[in-house]
Amino acid sequence: MTTRPALRDPKQDRSRATRQRLLEAAIACLAEHGWAGSTVSVVAERAGVSRGAAQHHFPTREDLFTAAVEQVAEERSAALRALLAGATDPPERDGPERTHAVVDALVSLYTGPLFRAALQLWVAASNEPQLGGSVTALEARIGRESHRMAIELLGADESVPGVRETVQGLLDMARGLGLANLLTDDAPRRERVVTQWARLIHDVLGRG
Amino acid sequence: MTTRPALRDPKQDRSRATRQRLLEAAIACLAEHGWAGSTVSVVAERAGVSRGAAQHHFPTREDLFTAAVEQVAEERSAALRALLAGATDPPERDGPERTHAVVDALVSLYTGPLFRAALQLWVAASNEPQLGGSVTALEARIGRESHRMAIELLGADESVPGVRETVQGLLDMARGLGLANLLTDDAPRRERVVTQWARLIHDVLGRG
């Protein structure tokens, strides 16, 4: 029934596009309606996909939502790295502006729709055993990747005592700032905290 | 039907005890089952109180849960202050041990059942407009009180540039540590981060 061109498979392309639409709709639903309001049917309808097609791609609700959070987390990491690596006028490698830009970018990972969606998933997982396992593993993976990225972007040397824990605390602070932004727009306060802690981090990394 | 002794009113005592049982049951339910699973009926049953009596004390579900989180937050603040003020062998006022004890105590505010319950309420409020107003006001009040307490316990001088933002960032970090503890026991890592950040804070406050 299908014709297979030499270089592309339109059916596979369509399947990939459907999967992508479902993942995007899942994140939007989770951030807006929470776990309780995010069923496969709701997501499928939002994505303009039949429920059957949705279940073909993701057999369970847990599969759909953990895949969605995971993919967006990966996209964000890649975008962050590209942003800082490819700036046409990059701040001086070891200067305070560079440290500020990195801290600011790391914090921004926790204040957008991805964090809102992930937070809904974490909190739901704390009450729903069937979500617990996959979400705990996903959270650990995102945590490790964020740490690795922070160390690399800050050019930090983890063999120096205290550096590892300083950077971990910075990521905990970023997560806390994300939570503070959940109900109200916390941007002006956040900016002041980021400026001050970027200075402190810069000093601790031995560049002050 | 009731007899009123000169000094006490048993009916009022019973009413106060019922209210207290409801508030405690509400926190336990929220931390265990999340907002979706915490109805007034579930809480009343857990407290051993009739649904009618529960509604007499708290006309709406929102009233019950915001009152519960608010009361426990106040109790925790009082306990924390008493703990640090009344230690029989208090760490030297400006020494690094004192700073560590204060940072550790502040962080502990975010890792127990109160934070788990509050987190459920914050996240639910982000999706449910009828919860939004009261929870946003409550969160702001708890945030201000935590900040005031942190400044006082650390003996920090907010007129020094950067001190206010340093302490705010510390509380954001504590909140992030609480979130990291939601799905797994994060105590060993948390202890190392607290030790390092207590050192940083101690230095920034000009005592290093």
Side-chain angles (χ1 to χ4, degrees):
Chain A
M1 287 288 286
T2 55
T3 58
R4 296 193 173 264
L7 294 173
R8 305 177 52 95
D9 179 344
K11 197 176 163 189
Q12 213 170 58
D13 282 355
R14 274 201 306 278
S15 171
R16 213 176 281 126
T18 300
R19 190 176 193 277
Q20 191 54 35
R21 280 214 308 282
L22 284 166
L23 294 175
E24 284 164 12
I27 291 294
C29 275
L30 207 48
E32 278 172 34
H33 307 302
W35 172 252
S38 295
T39 62
V40 175
S41 300
V42 169
V43 172
E45 195 185 329
R46 183 175 191 131
V49 167
S50 75
R51 202 184 137 81
Q55 279 177 329
H56 167 73
H57 284 278
F58 302 101
T60 71
R61 189 181 176 202
E62 289 73 28
D63 291 338
L64 171 58
F65 286 97
T66 52
V69 168
E70 184 164 22
Q71 184 193 284
V72 187
E74 277 165 14
E75 278 169 12
R76 296 286 302 251
S77 296
L80 176 62
R81 242 191 305 261
L83 182 77
L84 286 160
T88 51
D89 185 15
E92 189 198 343
R93 179 77 197 167
D94 291 341
E97 291 80 11
R98 164 82 184 184
T99 306
H100 182 276
V102 171
V103 171
D104 196 45
L106 288 170
V107 166
S108 76
L109 286 179
Y110 295 85
T111 48
L114 168 66
F115 178 75
R116 294 174 79 90
L119 184 59
Q120 300 282 351
L121 205 59
W122 298 171
V123 168
S126 74
N127 309 311
E128 310 206 16
Q130 86 275 19
L131 256 183
S134 55
V135 171
T136 302
L138 174 58
E139 191 194 18
R141 197 150 65 245
I142 294 181
R144 277 195 304 272
E145 166 67 8
S146 303
H147 183 80
R148 215 183 55 68
M149 202 162 59
I151 290 287
E152 186 191 318
L153 292 172
L154 289 166
D157 180 357
E158 285 195 288
S159 70
V160 176
V163 163
R164 185 178 171 77
E165 290 76 16
T166 299
V167 174
Q168 286 186 340
L170 171 64
L171 290 171
D172 287 307
M173 186 189 77
R175 204 182 291 123
L177 285 168
L179 198 50
N181 200 51
L182 186 64
L183 297 180
T184 47
D185 174 14
D186 192 39
R189 185 189 76 94
R190 182 167 65 246
E191 207 169 293
R192 291 192 296 271
V193 171
V194 163
T195 298
Q196 170 65 5
W197 274 93
R199 268 192 217 118
L200 298 182
I201 299 283
H202 191 74
D203 289 350
V204 176
L205 295 181
R207 304 189 178 137
Chain B
M1 287 289 285
T2 56
T3 58
R4 295 190 175 267
L7 294 174
R8 303 177 55 94
D9 179 343
K11 197 175 164 190
Q12 214 170 58
D13 282 354
R14 274 200 306 277
S15 172
R16 213 175 282 126
T18 300
R19 190 175 193 278
Q20 191 53 35
R21 280 214 308 281
L22 284 165
L23 294 176
E24 284 164 13
I27 291 295
C29 275
L30 206 50
E32 279 172 33
H33 308 302
W35 173 253
S38 295
T39 62
V40 174
S41 299
V42 168
V43 172
E45 195 185 330
R46 183 175 189 131
V49 167
S50 75
R51 202 183 137 80
Q55 280 178 328
H56 166 73
H57 285 277
F58 302 102
T60 73
R61 191 180 174 202
E62 289 73 29
D63 291 337
L64 171 58
F65 286 97
T66 52
V69 168
E70 184 164 22
Q71 185 194 284
V72 187
E74 277 165 16
E75 278 170 12
R76 296 287 301 252
S77 296
L80 176 62
R81 243 191 305 261
L83 183 77
L84 286 161
T88 50
D89 186 16
E92 190 196 344
R93 179 78 197 166
D94 290 342
E97 291 81 10
R98 164 82 184 186
T99 306
H100 182 276
V102 171
V103 171
D104 195 45
L106 289 170
V107 166
S108 76
L109 286 180
Y110 295 85
T111 48
L114 168 66
F115 178 75
R116 295 174 78 91
L119 184 60
Q120 299 283 351
L121 204 59
W122 298 171
V123 169
S126 74
N127 308 311
E128 311 205 17
Q130 87 274 19
L131 256 183
S134 55
V135 171
T136 302
L138 173 59
E139 191 194 16
R141 198 151 65 244
I142 294 181
R144 276 195 304 273
E145 165 67 8
S146 303
H147 183 79
R148 215 184 54 71
M149 202 162 58
I151 291 287
E152 186 191 319
L153 292 172
L154 289 167
D157 179 358
E158 285 196 288
S159 70
V160 176
V163 163
R164 185 178 171 78
E165 290 76 16
T166 300
V167 173
Q168 286 185 341
L170 170 64
L171 290 172
D172 287 307
M173 184 199 75
R175 204 183 291 122
L177 285 170
L179 198 51
N181 199 52
L182 186 64
L183 296 180
T184 46
D185 174 14
D186 191 39
R189 184 188 78 92
R190 182 167 66 244
E191 208 169 292
R192 293 191 295 272
V193 172
V194 163
T195 298
Q196 171 65 7
W197 273 56
R199 270 194 214 116
L200 297 184
I201 299 281
H202 193 74
D203 289 351
V204 176
L205 295 181
R207 301 187 179 141

